[in-house]
Amino acid sequence: MTLQEIAQAAGVSTGTVDRVLHNRKGVSQKTKEKIQAIIEENGYEPNFIARQLKNNKTLKIGILLPKLGSGCGYYAALLDGMKNQQKRFLPFKVDLMIEEFDRLKPLDAVKKGAKLISEKVDGLIAAPVVQEDFYELIPHLHSIPYIFVDSPLNYPGAISTIVQNPYKSGYCAARVMKMLQGSGTFACIKMYDNAYNLLERARGFLDFFNHDSGSKVLDVVCDDFTEMGLYSFLEDFYTAHKDLKGIFIPHAEVQLATYYLVNNGLKNKIALIGFDCVPQNKQALLEGTIDCLIGQRPESQGEEAVRQLYQHIMFHQDIPREVNMPIDIFFRENI
């Protein structure tokens, strides 16, 4: 029952019910007992919306992401989704307190996470791409509720994990590669060798082709994943593997591989599949220099994370412990 319904049932004013709920003076014992009996029998559902407006409380949500300049715009898209959801909460006050960490700098995520904790955030949304750092950080959160996006982490305390299954998405990419190129020699080229998502996508890609006796996959790391660095890497790689039929890049920097393939007249021979429909990749897909993109809806992940954390903190609502994002497959025809 609401406060108004309790007051009506007891034949008193809402102010009298409010005084009983907050144990204030000025209510006779008989009336107090009558109101308490109604509450015990029917329950009480407070108006959280009205309470927040009255209290003028600002919800502070900490955002801990890799540097937004990395990922060819993927992490910026995640943040855009969070900001979109923040606007939908108006006139309620929600502050997004953003910290970016350098995933190549040991313990930088711990340092930036500690800064958010010191600013007394009410909740945290994080992309735990450097798992070792987050295992170090999480015990310091204590009672601060947190949600993972982009990458899962095998840690029991998260109130929700909003991610795409990386193994299945890599397996799906291999199935598309098989349809495009049949059997043969393929490369899985990634920019890090310690990122959970990339390792799982690569594992899914390899597992699919392990069942194809006519195929082999070369799983390698390019340490300099810039336009020139990847160009040089592919020059050496293709010299050693002239039978290459396809390249899978399990992250958003796939567009960087197009320069080598186009400049060397290899695009009609070698298929290119990667991740995320960010602007650079979308343009390359439309031009035909990328054959397929796997999308994981970063904006939707960000929106859902803010919405769920708000509901958990402000309304004490139960939220799903796991949200699996769809595996979107984009070709130039359906983008």
Side-chain angles (χ1 to χ4, degrees):
M1 299 180 72
T2 65
L3 185 144
Q4 290 79 8
E5 290 171 336
I6 295 169
Q8 186 176 4
V12 298
S13 69
T14 56
T16 300
V17 177
D18 187 71
R19 284 194 291 274
V20 172
L21 288 170
H22 294 90
N23 199 28
R24 299 192 186 103
K25 297 179 180 179
V27 182
S28 69
Q29 185 63 29
K30 181 179 179 181
T31 300
K32 183 177 180 180
E33 290 174 355
K34 183 178 182 180
I35 292 172
Q36 288 174 335
I38 293 171
I39 293 173
E40 288 175 5
E41 182 178 353
N42 299 282
Y44 168 56
E45 298 177 2
N47 189 331
F48 290 106
I49 295 175
R51 178 178 294 178
Q52 188 188 1
L53 287 171
K54 181 180 178 180
N55 294 341
N56 201 28
K57 175 179 172 56
T58 297
L59 180 68
K60 296 194 296 183
I61 297 179
I63 309 296
L64 188 58
L65 298 175
K67 286 185 176 180
L68 299 179
S70 63
C72 286
Y74 171 80
Y75 294 111
L78 259 176
L79 184 59
D80 285 344
M82 297 177 194
K83 290 179 177 179
N84 290 340
Q85 187 62 55
Q86 178 190 29
K87 292 176 183 176
R88 295 190 185 104
F89 284 131
L90 293 173
F92 306 118
K93 295 183 178 180
V94 177
D95 280 353
L96 302 182
M97 309 179 70
I98 304 158
E99 288 292 334
E100 304 173 35
F101 63 88
D102 186 343
R103 62 193 299 168
L104 297 179
K105 190 175 180 180
L107 298 179
D108 194 48
V110 178
K111 177 182 176 181
K112 300 299 173 58
K115 183 178 179 182
L116 289 172
I117 294 171
S118 69
E119 292 174 350
K120 301 186 184 305
V121 294
D122 298 298
L124 176 70
I125 299 171
V129 294
V130 186
Q131 295 205 340
E132 297 81 4
D133 282 14
F134 279 85
Y135 284 128
E136 173 75 22
L137 170 65
I138 290 172
H140 299 287
L141 294 176
H142 301 300
S143 61
I144 299 174
Y146 56 93
I147 289 177
F148 292 139
V149 293
D150 176 50
S151 180
L153 186 69
N154 186 22
Y155 202 97
I159 61 172
S160 186
T161 298
I162 304 169
V163 299
Q164 184 183 86
N165 185 301
Y167 176 85
K168 289 183 178 180
S169 63
Y171 200 95
C172 184
R175 188 181 295 277
V176 174
M177 184 71 80
K178 173 72 173 179
M179 290 189 293
L180 292 175
Q181 297 291 80
S183 299
T185 298
F186 303 102
C188 176
I189 305 174
K190 51 188 181 293
M191 65 193 306
Y192 302 114
D193 60 359
N194 64 345
Y196 175 82
N197 265 8
L198 306 193
L199 293 173
E200 282 295 284
R201 290 169 188 163
R203 186 171 71 90
F205 191 83
L206 268 67
D207 279 358
F208 177 90
F209 280 112
N210 281 340
H211 299 291
D212 182 359
S213 60
S215 296
K216 66 177 179 179
V217 176
L218 305 169
D219 185 19
V220 294
V221 174
C222 174
D223 293 324
D224 182 10
F225 224 100
T226 60
E227 179 182 333
M228 293 305 299
L230 184 58
Y231 195 103
S232 177
F233 178 90
L234 287 172
E235 276 191 318
D236 294 338
F237 190 85
Y238 184 68
T239 299
H241 305 284
K242 292 288 188 179
D243 59 341
L244 186 66
K245 295 184 67 175
I247 296 173
F248 172 53
I249 295 179
H251 44 80
E253 287 76 7
V254 57
Q255 187 258 351
L256 296 177
T258 63
Y259 299 107
Y260 175 79
L261 297 179
V262 172
N263 286 350
N264 289 277
L266 295 171
K267 191 62 211 64
N268 290 332
K269 177 185 176 182
I270 298 174
L272 181 60
I273 297 176
F275 265 76
D276 300 316
C277 200
V278 295
Q280 304 96 312
N281 292 345
K282 179 179 178 180
Q283 184 61 35
L285 187 65
L286 290 171
E287 293 171 354
T289 53
I290 291 176
D291 295 281
C292 178
L293 290 171
I294 307 297
Q296 50 185 330
R297 305 188 186 185
E299 295 92 345
S300 296
Q301 288 188 48
E303 290 174 0
E304 184 70 7
V306 172
R307 186 182 67 82
Q308 286 196 16
L309 195 57
Y310 184 90
Q311 290 178 334
H312 174 81
I313 295 173
M314 300 306 299
F315 297 160
H316 309 291
Q317 293 181 354
D318 292 332
I319 61 176
R321 294 295 301 272
E322 185 175 307
V323 177
N324 290 311
M325 301 305 295
I327 300 173
D328 293 328
I329 302 174
F330 295 106
F331 299 100
R332 64 188 299 181
E333 293 81 9
N334 71 326
I335 196 167

